[in-house]
Amino acid sequence: MQHRSAAPPAPTAVALAGALMMAAAMGIGRFAYTPLLPPLQETLGWSVSQAGDVAAANFLGYMIGALVAATLAHRPERRLWLAAGMLASAASTAAGAVVVSFAAWLSIRFASGVASAFCLVLGTAAVVEHITMQGRAQLGALHFAGVGLGIVGSVAVLECARLAGVSMFGQWGRSASAQHCCSAPRGA
């Protein structure tokens, strides 16, 4: 009996999946904080310094996450770490819909930084490896376009929610829903 292995996924499909991952983890998970900053300050009573501290926690998490992910990028379990990064990104975004404590915001934005770095480093390693092996390295631009897609998409979602009178917590919830739409697994 002959066993045939499945054909590798099409390079365009892999680049598109990478773009959606980047939209979810980077464009929404990491960068939705910026348009939500004014309502965060107003709702939670944060000073400019506190808002900066929360942003700095995200930057620190991103730096640490990128350094750790770089050590995992060529390991066999890379896919598991990428999945963990996606789950952590989704969880930290969803937490914004319920978290009130300043200390908790520092924690979730730090976690968001680590998670988004894992997705960027590990997801990019997987996508670039696949499309390069298939002779389609130029599709890397599609993969990286996902960051901008996520930023623009999250701003559109947040602006519609704001115009509809949705609270800051509801806007974070809408961000989490948009992130889920980008990262939900698709059937093979």
Side-chain angles (χ1 to χ4, degrees), residues 124-162:
T124 298
V127 169
V128 169
E129 180 180 287
H130 181 80
I131 63 176
T132 302
M133 286 177 27
Q134 300 295 317
R136 302 285 308 275
Q138 72 275 15
L139 290 173
L142 175 59
H143 167 70
F144 285 107
V147 177
L149 174 69
I151 292 170
V152 170
S154 69
V155 168
V157 166
L158 293 171
E159 189 60 18
C160 288
R162 185 189 67 76

Side-chain angles (χ1 to χ4, degrees), residues 26-41 109 150-160 162 168 171-172 175:
M26 297 295 296
I28 300 170
R30 181 141 194 255
F31 292 119
Y33 178 77
T34 303
L36 282 166
L37 185 54
L40 273 164
Q41 287 181 279
R109 294 309 295 162
I151 292 170
V152 170
S154 69
V155 168
V157 166
L158 293 171
E159 189 60 18
C160 288
R162 185 189 67 76
M168 181 275 299
Q171 290 177 46
W172 272 104
S175 294

Side-chain angles (χ1 to χ4, degrees), residues 11-122:
T12 304
V14 171
L16 183 57
L20 290 172
M21 183 265 314
M22 296 287 270
M26 297 295 296
I28 300 170
R30 181 141 194 255
F31 292 119
Y33 178 77
T34 303
L36 282 166
L37 185 54
L40 273 164
Q41 287 181 279
E42 182 180 323
T43 302
L44 300 176
W46 289 353
S47 67
V48 172
S49 178
Q50 286 175 302
D53 289 345
V54 172
N58 183 263
F59 301 155
L60 178 62
Y62 185 82
M63 182 187 73
I64 291 170
L67 292 170
V68 172
T71 69
L72 303 169
H74 297 289
R75 296 180 59 101
E77 64 274 11
R78 168 177 71 193
R79 292 173 119 188
L80 295 174
W81 287 108
L82 175 57
M86 288 298 297
L87 287 171
S89 180
S92 62
T93 301
V98 296
V99 169
V100 178
S101 153
F102 178 70
W105 271 100
L106 291 170
S107 297
I108 66 168
R109 294 309 295 162
F110 176 85
S112 174
V114 171
S116 64
F118 267 51
C119 293
L120 175 78
V121 172
L122 301 175

Side-chain angles (χ1 to χ4, degrees), residues 170-184:
Q171 290 177 46
W172 272 104
R174 296 256 172 41
S175 294
S177 295
Q179 187 176 25
H180 175 73
C181 289
C182 291
S183 58

